[in-house]
Amino acid sequence: MVALARGGGALLRTAKGWFLEFRLIPVLLWSYTAVILGTAVAIVGVGGFEPTWFAVALALGGLIQGWETHAINEIYDWRSGTDQVDGARALSGGSRVRNFGLLDERGLWLIFAVSSAAIAALTAWVVVARAPWLAILILTGYVLGIAYTVPPVATAYRPFAGEWLGGFPGVLLSGLGAYAIQTRSLALVPIVALSAHALVCMGMLMMHHYLDAPMDAAAVPPKRTTVVAIGFPNSKRYAAGIAFVAALLYGILGLTTHPAFLLGFALTLPAVWIHLRTNPTDLESVTRNELRIIQLGIAAGLSTAVGLAPVLWPMLPLAVLGYVAHLAVVSPRAKYVGPRLVLVRRVGFVVNPIAGLGGRVGLKGTDGVAEQALAAGAKPTATDRARAFAAALVGVTKDDPNLTFRWVTAGGDMGMGPLRIAGVPPDRIDVIHVPGQPSTSEDTRSTVEESIASGVELILFCGGDGTARDAAAAAKDRVPIVGIPAGVKMHSGLFAISPQAAANLLVAFLRGDLRVGTAEILDLDEEAYRKGEWRVRLFATAKTLVEPQLVSAGKLMVEELSEEAVRAELTTHFSELFEANPDTLFLLGPGSTIQGIASALGIEKTLLGIDAVVGGKTTAKDVNEAAILRLLDRYPKAQLVVSPVGGQGFILGRGNLQVSPPVLRRIGTRNVTVVATPSKLVTTPVLRVDTGDPSLDEEFRAREYLFVLVGYRTSKLHPIQR
């Protein structure tokens, strides 16, 4: 699999995409079994069959039900968004060829075109060599396959229409076509027999849509399947009723025409109980029972067919071979425990151990200055953030077996170390990359690349914007990526607001509750940043998880030049504040709002650093953590003045890591003043903190609202995110 993800494996990846898009297991139930059952009924009627036309019927059924219908379905379900979510779905949610980067839309259109051309050629042959009216059956099946998903008809997007105008007639026509191509006629018995089989397939389709329901309902346009429209309890009863009618039809045929149909009755009747016993919200229950319904449906149809026409017995082992082959490709890491299928999901995890190293020592980033930061006394914090994330995840998943998965990561501090310290068992961790010492950005990219090649559904990286760039470059939109914030600067829109929030995001993803969207990858020119210039560039976009309360938006550049009156009021306010508190140390945080106030007061202030002011005069510029602690030794009374990051709302933990937990504890959380212009506050729905110390964060969040200074002696209560 690693080789397939690299340059030389392009052809093999495409071949795998074509194979998966065919969706062999559903095709075995829907068209393969229908064609064989229809052919068996024909053999009973005419006393023999023509193998060539049997093969043509199998080919047409497979092409229409397999590549034509599935390719067009994949294209439009991806566009609507329902298949873009890599949630808790094993058999549904499309073929996953788009999610895993095996095929793009152009590749799917190619499958559709090639299969359509093959269908046209075979239809022409049938018309010339058998009977022209057979084209009606073939072309009706072809059109129904397109209409199943393509607007404006899109029967799959309408309750009951997907089953009765798509699934049922599609299966019925596959089998009737096989009967008619042998006999050049139609009759009541094959219609009833194939209706029974088509009803079995409809019941399977109902179950197939259970785990898709949240994504289908959120699709654009909404995919209102029958499950979405009538709910889970009614869907179970409806599917069970369909299965009962199917068994009844088999039974009637067994009593009136041929005893072989009683095999179909015996093997279909248990499906009624299975439908009623399924938990539609449980991954294991739906997956296990959907496979049972498929197995019973294939067994019912094929055993009846062989009972009617023993000459068709070789089709039984061929079906078993195809079934096993499909499972081997789709679920290479599935484990069988007794008779139960346990699907093991995989999540990628990569840590940049030096991320955030330059923050507390005032270097405004780590790119290219890691050694300088270490020499200045900086201590690595990224592994602590990664460990906090992993520990939070262990806590929320330990009692839920449905949230079991395998970690795919790098060795040492780049992944294995933090996971083990947090309590993740070693048998749940796959190390696919051994980084160098020290690790580099190439190690990050290699870990992401090899994780995706091993079949992960999501990449979690711990770092800052530079790490985000490396992860996105390697992921290439094949899977979503989510950042655990650990850098000095995090302007990109794919970071969780905290390590704990990242754990909650992963849980929601595993439960299938989140959609996949696109976020911007932004990064700061750190060389210019250290000189006091703010130059942010858009480097790329990347797939990420969409959850506004847990994922921070990209930083907004807020224009404030038109608010001179507000600035004047704030300037007056701080002038009086400095005069009234001549012995208080004021630590002025970064940002244009605070710099504008300081400049108006004649105070020297760096744009992107933290500066110390006492008695209205600057005593130290661009101070780091150590310098702040020394100043606090001299000045027992201190206040911290900060302004929220535009759009994101962070007042601590982004761009001001010099204000470390020890610094905050010395100052006191009640001595933190938040200042913002009204226009900036409008674009900032909530305030956020991410100090790196959960207890400190809770001190802020427990207040629920913070006063934000917006003018002269004027404050506004603004919510802080819980």
Side-chain angles (χ1 to χ4, degrees):
M1 287 295 293
V2 173
L4 294 181
R6 294 179 175 169
L11 185 60
L12 289 176
R13 288 178 62 80
T14 301
K16 182 180 179 182
W18 278 61
F19 177 82
L20 291 177
E21 191 56 39
F22 191 74
R23 304 188 208 177
L24 184 53
I25 287 180
V27 168
L28 285 172
L29 174 66
W30 286 58
S31 67
Y32 180 86
T33 300
V35 167
I36 293 168
L37 183 57
T39 302
V41 177
I43 291 172
V44 172
V46 299
F49 81 114
E50 297 187 40
T52 299
W53 296 115
F54 173 56
V56 169
L58 280 173
L60 282 168
L63 287 167
I64 293 173
Q65 291 285 347
W67 278 326
E68 178 245 328
T69 301
H70 286 154
I72 206 75
N73 177 259
E74 194 86 32
I75 290 167
Y76 283 91
D77 274 2
W78 184 269
R79 288 181 181 180
S80 74
T82 185
D83 282 354
Q84 293 189 31
V85 183
D86 290 319
R89 298 181 284 181
L91 299 176
S92 57
S95 65
R96 308 293 178 90
V97 296
R98 294 292 305 271
N99 307 73
F100 296 131
L102 298 174
L103 294 173
D104 55 13
E105 184 170 311
R106 183 177 178 182
L108 291 167
W109 279 117
L110 178 62
I111 290 177
F112 176 77
V114 170
S115 59
S116 296
I119 292 165
L122 290 172
T123 302
W125 186 18
V126 169
V127 166
V128 171
R130 299 302 284 170
W133 66 269
L134 291 173
I136 298 174
L137 299 180
I138 299 170
L139 294 178
T140 301
Y142 178 83
V143 171
L144 288 173
I146 295 174
Y148 184 72
T149 317
V150 176
V153 181
T155 57
Y157 283 64
R158 306 175 191 277
F160 302 104
E163 294 87 51
W164 289 107
L165 298 180
F168 182 84
V171 176
L172 182 63
L173 288 168
S174 290
L176 278 181
Y179 175 88
I181 206 170
Q182 295 290 336
T183 65
R184 286 185 270 201
S185 66
L186 294 175
L188 181 60
V189 170
I191 291 174
V192 175
L194 290 159
S195 293
H197 179 65
L199 289 171
V200 171
C201 295
M202 280 179 57
M204 170 262 172
L205 186 60
M206 290 292 297
M207 189 177 293
H208 191 72
H209 285 151
Y210 287 159
L211 296 175
D212 288 341
M215 285 64 74
D216 288 342
V220 180
K223 188 174 182 180
R224 293 194 72 244
T225 61
T226 306
V227 174
V228 172
I230 67 176
F232 290 135
N234 288 330
S235 294
K236 288 171 58 177
R237 289 190 284 268
Y238 178 55
I242 289 171
F244 178 77
V245 174
L248 189 62
L249 291 178
Y250 271 129
I252 291 171
L253 288 175
L255 296 174
T256 60
T257 62
H258 196 292
F261 287 108
L262 294 176
L263 290 171
F265 169 79
L267 289 166
T268 301
L269 197 58
V272 177
W273 179 81
I274 293 172
H275 279 297
L276 293 174
R277 294 284 295 175
T278 300
N279 179 354
T281 63
D282 181 74
L283 171 65
E284 184 179 346
S285 175
V286 174
T287 302
R288 182 176 67 250
N289 288 331
E290 184 176 349
L291 288 174
R292 285 174 174 170
I293 294 293
I294 291 171
Q295 292 159 2
L296 286 172
I298 294 172
L302 293 187
S303 63
T304 299
V306 172
L308 293 169
V311 69
L312 295 176
W313 73 264
M315 309 312 294
L316 286 170
L318 193 61
V320 173
L321 181 63
Y323 184 94
V324 173
H326 185 87
L327 278 184
V329 175
V330 174
S331 306
R333 291 173 179 82
K335 294 182 178 179
Y336 284 93
V337 182
R340 301 172 65 186
L341 176 67
V342 180
L343 296 156
V344 181
R345 306 177 69 184
R346 299 167 73 79
V347 174
F349 182 62
V350 58
V351 180
N352 176 2
I354 65 169
L357 202 60
R360 294 189 183 181
V361 293
L363 293 177
K364 306 179 181 67
T366 310
D367 296 355
V369 294
E371 292 185 5
Q372 183 181 343
L374 290 169
K379 295 181 179 179
T381 59
T383 50
D384 291 336
R385 303 281 278 179
R387 191 181 310 125
F389 154 77
L393 188 69
V394 168
V396 297
T397 61
K398 62 182 179 181
D399 296 324
D400 192 340
N402 293 322
L403 297 177
T404 300
F405 63 95
R406 292 192 68 79
W407 292 99
V408 180
T409 189
D413 287 344
M414 284 196 70
M416 178 71 165
L419 290 176
R420 289 292 295 117
I421 294 172
V424 178
D427 61 356
R428 295 267 304 282
I429 304 172
D430 290 341
V431 175
I432 43 81
H433 180 76
V434 179
Q437 294 298 328
S439 60
T440 65
S441 60
E442 183 58 36
D443 288 307
T444 299
R445 290 190 289 269
S446 294
T447 302
V448 171
E449 183 73 32
E450 292 169 30
S451 295
I452 293 173
S454 76
V456 301
E457 302 175 52
L458 173 75
I459 295 287
L460 286 143
F461 68 89
C462 186
D465 284 328
T467 313
R469 287 174 57 186
D470 292 331
K476 299 174 184 174
D477 273 349
R478 288 174 287 175
V479 298
I481 61 175
V482 173
I484 301 163
V488 176
K489 49 189 173 50
M490 285 155 284
H491 302 298
S492 303
L494 41 67
F495 285 93
I497 62 173
S498 68
Q500 292 73 23
N504 292 331
L505 272 172
L506 179 53
V507 169
F509 170 78
L510 292 170
R511 288 177 173 156
D513 295 334
L514 297 184
R515 296 193 54 157
V516 174
T518 301
E520 294 180 339
I521 305 290
L522 306 173
D523 202 359
L524 197 63
D525 183 335
E526 289 190 3
E527 201 60 44
Y529 188 38
R530 294 183 187 106
K531 296 176 182 177
E533 299 175 30
W534 186 23
R535 298 179 191 167
V536 178
R537 282 183 54 199
L538 171 64
F539 282 89
T541 59
K543 288 169 62 176
T544 191
L545 303 182
V546 178
E547 214 302 326
Q549 299 303 310
L550 298 177
V551 181
S552 62
K555 177 178 172 65
L556 298 179
M557 303 279 286
V558 179
E559 179 61 61
E560 297 179 299
L561 296 177
S562 62
E563 300 192 71
E564 294 179 0
V566 174
R567 288 178 180 272
E569 285 195 14
L570 290 170
T571 299
T572 302
H573 179 96
F574 276 96
S575 175
E576 293 182 3
L577 189 65
F578 292 155
E579 186 175 347
N581 299 276
D583 300 322
T584 298
L585 170 68
F586 288 88
L587 294 168
L588 306 184
S592 58
T593 302
I594 297 175
Q595 188 201 38
I597 295 168
S599 296
L601 291 171
I603 297 172
E604 288 189 71
K605 171 80 181 78
T606 58
L607 174 62
L608 302 169
I610 294 178
D611 305 277
V613 173
V614 178
K617 295 182 180 180
T618 303
T619 60
K621 294 170 59 177
D622 201 9
V623 291
N624 59 23
E625 178 193 29
I628 294 173
L629 290 172
R630 288 194 296 270
L631 285 167
L632 291 172
D633 289 337
R634 290 171 53 193
Y635 300 98
K637 295 171 61 179
Q639 284 196 31
L640 173 66
V641 182
V642 293
S643 185
V645 176
Q648 294 185 357
F650 283 99
I651 57 173
L652 292 166
R654 300 292 188 271
N656 53 18
L657 296 185
Q658 305 95 311
V659 185
S660 63
V663 168
L664 272 173
R665 292 193 184 284
R666 293 280 297 275
I667 296 172
T669 59
R670 294 285 177 177
N671 293 319
V672 176
T673 299
V674 183
V675 58
T677 61
S679 69
K680 190 173 189 179
L681 216 52
V682 166
T683 64
T684 308
V686 294
L687 301 176
R688 291 171 168 142
V689 293
D690 183 20
T691 65
D693 185 324
S695 62
L696 271 175
D697 292 346
E698 186 56 30
E699 280 190 41
F700 283 99
R701 293 169 182 160
R703 291 155 68 179
E704 299 186 347
Y705 290 84
L706 297 182
F707 282 103
V708 179
L709 187 65
V710 295
Y712 177 71
R713 295 188 178 182
T714 303
S715 294
K716 179 183 182 300
L717 275 175
H718 206 66
I720 186 166
Q721 189 174 49
R722 289 292 297 168

